[in-house]
Amino acid sequence: MTRIRRVEIDHFRGISHLDWFPQPGINCLIGPGDSGKSTILDSIDLCLGARRQVQFSDSDFHGADFNTPIRISVTIGDLDDSMKNLDAYGPFLRGFIDLIPSVDDEPATWAETVLTVRLTVESDLEPSWTLFSERVEAQGLSRGLAWQDRVRIAPTRIGAMADYHLGWRRGSVLNRLSDETTNAAGALAGAARGARQAFGEVTQSGMSETLNAVTETARELGIPVGDGVKAMLDAQLASFNDGAVTLHDGESVPLRSLGVGSTRLLIAGLQRKTANGSSLVHAGYNFVDIRRLVEAVNAIP
């Protein structure tokens, strides 16, 4: 499972500079309100998240000074073999020494092989994600992670929007649990058509007076309506799309109605299962004990 070895933040919101080496196990960020706890988590999410675009504004720059760029660098270890492939990322592979701790551009045999992902935002507010090493930067080379690797390492943020992961949405934890595939798109389209047809048949008699008046008026004005107007569900407004399939309990009650604590605990457990079979950043950014994680989060002011 991919793990965060180092987080570097420069000129982002309330943080002028931060250089942090998370420790194995539980890492708790404790401090008063507006001390930067959420900004650190936001930084990790923005840097490693599988997204092609993010909206930034002048207020995201430290002190609103947009002439100094935002730089967020996250070094990740415990890489799977595909991400340590010399043909793919050779010049960008670095070494992490946990005893010091430090990150070196030369991946020695006694050091863990790591990659550093850097998010940069200039005054034009356009984000750029690249791999970083001082050696390669001096050579003027640049490249980013392949999209499939971005998806593989994307962290799952356990927070107010945790119930997003209780449906089969793009990037949700349910899509990472297995390689199972279903013809969901075709089935949902068929279900939507069936619902529209069924609704039209049920309401035809109950709205007959109104429908007859509309049909008569349309014909008087020369508006073509065929054999007559019908009351049916709108094809655009009543369609099923990404996220329409969600988890329900044995009584068919959506799991999104669970309490906040239960939802976060369930998502953390599911994320833990995905980590057993894939190379993913742990749901809590190196948080291991799920129950202790929830207790720690609830204790933060």
Side-chain angles (χ1 to χ4, degrees):
M1 128 176 66
T2 305
R3 292 187 179 275
I4 296 171
R5 299 307 187 198
R6 185 182 190 181
V7 178
E8 301 167 87
I9 304 173
D10 288 292
H11 206 64
F12 181 53
R13 296 181 185 166
I15 298 177
S16 174
H17 175 73
L18 172 72
D19 192 354
W20 175 40
F21 291 87
Q23 297 300 305
I26 298 174
N27 287 258
C28 294
L29 303 176
I30 301 174
D34 296 324
S35 61
K37 303 185 299 294
S38 296
T39 298
I40 295 173
L41 296 183
D42 287 344
S43 299
I44 296 171
D45 190 28
L46 289 168
C47 188
L48 298 183
R51 49 174 63 86
R52 300 184 188 274
Q53 189 58 264
V54 178
Q55 292 280 336
F56 285 91
S57 67
D58 290 353
S59 61
D60 287 316
F61 293 81
H62 182 66
D65 175 16
F66 53 80
N67 292 312
T68 303
I70 296 169
R71 286 197 178 92
I72 301 169
S73 303
V74 180
T75 299
I76 52 176
D78 252 359
L79 304 174
D80 63 16
D81 291 339
S82 66
M83 296 185 70
K84 291 187 284 189
N85 188 315
L86 292 177
D87 294 332
Y89 301 120
F92 297 91
L93 295 174
R94 311 175 80 192
F96 171 71
I97 304 173
D98 60 351
L99 294 178
I100 300 178
S102 66
V103 177
D104 191 87
D105 272 0
E106 298 299 331
T109 54
W110 61 84
E112 178 187 9
T113 300
V114 295
L115 284 168
T116 299
V117 182
R118 170 169 285 184
L119 167 62
T120 304
V121 185
E122 305 276 356
S123 59
D124 60 4
L125 304 182
E126 290 295 326
S128 172
W129 290 269
T130 58
L131 291 172
F132 171 79
S133 81
E134 294 176 357
R135 176 183 65 251
V136 174
E137 186 178 52
Q139 298 173 2
L141 302 178
S142 178
R143 71 153 296 176
L145 277 175
W147 181 252
Q148 61 267 28
D149 290 330
R150 292 264 310 265
V151 173
R152 184 179 294 117
I153 69 169
T156 297
R157 185 78 175 268
I158 302 173
M161 299 300 291
D163 58 356
Y164 175 91
H165 296 280
L166 296 179
W168 275 264
R169 298 174 174 87
R170 178 174 299 180
S172 75
V173 69
L174 296 180
N175 286 323
R176 304 180 189 179
L177 280 174
S178 73
D179 295 327
E180 294 175 330
T181 57
T182 59
N183 184 21
L188 290 174
R193 295 187 189 105
R196 290 195 295 272
Q197 183 63 37
F199 182 85
E201 293 174 355
V202 169
T203 59
Q204 200 65 28
S205 59
M207 299 180 178
S208 59
E209 185 176 346
T210 301
L211 296 175
N212 289 337
V214 175
T215 300
E216 181 180 349
T217 302
R219 287 172 176 167
E220 289 175 354
L221 298 174
I223 300 172
V225 292
D227 294 335
V229 298
K230 299 178 180 180
M232 301 182 68
L233 296 176
D234 189 283
Q236 287 185 316
L237 300 180
S239 61
F240 300 135
N241 48 32
D242 183 32
V245 181
T246 62
L247 294 172
H248 293 64
D249 66 14
E251 304 299 326
S252 298
V253 177
L255 292 193
R256 57 180 167 75
S257 10
L258 290 170
V260 173
S262 296
T263 299
R264 293 181 180 180
L265 189 61
L266 176 60
I267 297 305
L270 292 174
Q271 179 67 12
R272 194 177 205 179
K273 286 187 179 297
T274 67
N276 290 333
S278 60
S279 181
L280 295 173
V281 175
H282 197 278
Y285 310 116
N286 289 340
F287 291 151
V288 175
D289 187 312
I290 305 302
R291 288 183 174 82
R292 290 175 65 190
L293 161 62
V294 174
E295 293 170 1
V297 170
N298 289 338
I300 295 177

